[in-house]
Amino acid sequence: MSRDATPDPYADPLVFGQRLQILRVRRGMTRDQLGGLLGRSGSWVKSIETGRLKTPRLEVILRIAELLRVRELSELTGDQSVRVELFDGPGHPRLAAVKAAVDAFPPSARHEAPPPAHLRARLAHAWAARHSAPHHREVIGALLPDLIRDAQLAVRQADGAPHRRAAQAVLAEVYSLCQFFVAYQPDPALLWRVAERGLVAAQESEDPHAIGVAAWLAAQAHRDAGLAHFDAADAVNLETLAFLEPLLPDAPDDVTAIAGALTFEAGYTAARRGETGTAWRYWDRARVMADQLPVDYYHPVTSFSRAIMGAHAVTVAVELRQGGESVRQAAAADAVMIPSRPRRARHRIEEARGYHLDGQPDAALATLNRAHEAAPETIRYNGYAKRIVLEEAEAKSPARRRRASELAVKLGLLAA
């Protein structure tokens, strides 16, 4: 290896501090930025990285893992004996079939593509199944391969520009559904392939709603790639909002909803940066847009609605590390039922993060159990939930350790 090459953080005998420095740099985060997010100084981070301070406690290691979005805890600790996935979940059994459908590009078609109305009906069924099934990845993983192939075929066989644009809009939404399936699985290249193809199909469709949904998902992919990609997330988000804004006075509900979802996402990214005023300002704007929708409206892709704004407030407070505010927002939001099982589970996880920040670990574990009841596959792929469970499995309280360990077994973090 040349002197200029980046060291491999997975190669022994690197110690914790060296791994921390490599992974931090790869995420585009300075020592001051990481220290600030940990409630420490940049010099403290430097002391850990250079070995002047010993390896921190487990709760600090787990918080660092969360901030750096490491795939497995062993990437940070170097201990290969305990393989704990964090922000990459376990590979789903149906991942290979979905990947094969995404990657396939047959030069000729052996059968006629289904009519667009038929594809739309199947897509609507798939979204409904995703929202209602506790094991939603299993359900949509079974539906996606044929949907992907048939939607691609519809584009290739489209007769004339209007039919091709309509087929591209369907294909873009199929890729959106696919991105929900491949997210947080151990194939980041596939995630980006799906996100980029969704953007291309949406642009070709010239459909405002399809463009908005593809941008919403692309912005999330950029943000989840780490702090160095936050500017890219904002660029996709805000450019798409600028495109949609002139359409909003006469827009149908789905376009208003995707604009509202994009507005909240801008606030979410600001909260991840620690920009309190900007984050809440975008949340306020999104709430105004939600209030323009019918009371019972619920966007099938983003879950944007009046009902979701309370959950979004919890997320903003959590990302800003405002424990007390998180708990207050959770109490206000709890009376509203979120129709989607996976989105309800995600909300419970955000509530649990708020309770944990506020020094209420027992409430956090109870709330994570409610998340598991709503959608086991959501919590199993969620790194924030795993961090709380692993930390409390080391708690001093025997009763709390037992509850956390029982949940860790359910999540596959510990053997039964």
Side-chain angles (χ1 to χ4, degrees):
M1 184 173 69
S2 72
R3 286 182 299 173
D4 295 331
T6 301
D8 183 352
Y10 318 126
D12 288 330
L14 294 181
V15 297
F16 177 84
Q18 292 171 306
R19 290 173 180 273
L20 171 59
Q21 181 175 7
I22 293 165
L23 292 167
R24 174 183 59 76
V25 171
R26 285 187 178 181
R27 284 297 185 190
M29 196 178 290
T30 67
R31 284 169 172 157
D32 286 339
Q33 287 171 331
L34 179 59
L37 291 169
L38 290 166
R40 307 294 180 95
S41 64
S43 60
W44 180 87
V45 175
K46 181 178 181 180
S47 295
I48 294 293
E49 291 180 347
T50 57
R52 288 202 294 270
L53 289 178
K54 64 181 181 179
T55 301
R57 303 186 309 275
L58 176 64
E59 63 188 78
V60 179
I61 293 174
L62 289 168
R63 173 64 177 149
I64 292 171
E66 174 187 323
L67 293 169
L68 298 181
R69 306 285 289 191
V70 300
R71 293 166 299 181
E72 288 191 354
L73 201 54
S74 59
E75 296 177 21
L76 186 56
T77 65
D79 183 358
Q80 299 296 320
S81 64
V82 181
R83 308 283 294 186
V84 179
E85 298 112 340
L86 288 172
F87 286 91
D88 269 356
H92 195 278
R94 295 193 183 274
L95 179 61
V98 173
K99 176 180 167 60
V102 171
D103 290 345
F105 192 77
S108 60
R110 297 181 180 178
H111 64 276
E112 186 175 348
H118 178 69
L119 281 173
R120 279 281 177 202
R122 287 166 58 188
L123 192 51
H125 168 72
W127 282 117
R130 179 187 180 271
H131 288 305
S132 61
H135 297 281
H136 49 91
R137 287 181 190 265
E138 173 63 25
V139 172
I140 65 172
L143 297 172
L144 272 170
D146 286 341
L147 256 178
I148 293 167
R149 284 188 284 265
D150 285 347
Q152 290 172 338
L153 192 61
V155 171
R156 290 201 297 275
Q157 293 183 1
D159 183 17
H163 290 101
R164 180 174 293 274
R165 285 195 295 270
Q168 291 280 21
V170 174
L171 179 59
E173 193 169 331
V174 170
Y175 282 134
S176 296
L177 179 66
C178 187
Q179 191 169 334
F180 276 92
F181 176 81
V182 301
Y184 308 118
Q185 296 208 50
D187 195 339
L190 177 62
L191 173 69
W192 280 108
R193 202 148 59 246
V194 169
E196 289 165 358
R197 290 187 186 182
L199 282 171
V200 171
Q203 288 172 332
E204 292 292 328
S205 78
E206 300 181 11
D207 180 274
H209 178 255
I211 291 169
V213 169
W216 180 77
L217 285 163
Q220 292 189 24
H222 280 298
R223 189 179 58 234
D224 286 346
L227 187 64
H229 301 266
F230 282 13
D231 287 346
D234 276 338
V236 171
N237 218 328
L238 299 178
E239 286 289 338
T240 307
L241 276 171
F243 164 72
L244 293 175
E245 188 173 0
L247 308 176
L248 293 180
D250 302 309
D253 289 340
D254 63 348
V255 174
T256 300
I258 193 59
L262 285 163
T263 301
F264 168 71
E265 286 300 316
Y268 188 5
T269 304
R272 289 278 294 273
R273 282 193 173 105
E275 298 170 351
T276 302
T278 302
W280 285 115
R281 190 158 52 248
Y282 275 119
W283 181 87
D284 279 330
R285 291 179 191 172
R287 181 184 56 182
V288 170
M289 299 171 84
D291 288 343
Q292 297 171 11
L293 296 168
V295 174
D296 59 349
Y297 179 85
Y298 199 79
H299 190 261
V301 181
T302 67
S303 297
F304 191 79
S305 58
R306 294 188 185 191
I308 209 66
M309 291 312 299
H312 282 340
V314 175
T315 296
V316 169
V318 166
E319 292 296 345
L320 291 170
R321 311 297 293 170
Q322 297 173 343
E325 181 64 20
S326 304
V327 172
R328 284 191 291 275
Q329 293 291 351
D334 203 43
V336 180
M337 175 59 74
I338 298 172
S340 168
R341 274 181 174 266
R343 189 59 186 85
R344 197 184 318 150
R346 164 74 188 281
H347 173 50
R348 295 303 181 202
I349 293 167
E350 297 295 278
E351 285 184 319
R353 292 176 69 196
Y355 285 124
H356 208 246
L357 277 172
D358 198 46
Q360 301 184 50
D362 291 309
L365 289 174
T367 307
L368 288 178
N369 268 305
R370 294 174 72 186
H372 188 269
E373 291 168 4
E377 285 191 338
T378 294
I379 187 172
R380 192 178 180 204
Y381 285 80
N382 189 283
Y384 300 116
K386 294 174 186 176
R387 178 180 69 81
I388 293 171
V389 171
L390 288 171
E391 184 175 328
E392 295 309 322
E394 300 282 334
K396 293 181 179 179
S397 164
R400 192 184 308 145
R401 281 202 310 271
R402 184 181 67 254
R403 286 194 295 274
S405 297
E406 289 170 353
L407 186 51
V409 170
K410 292 179 184 177
L411 301 185
L413 299 174
L414 296 176

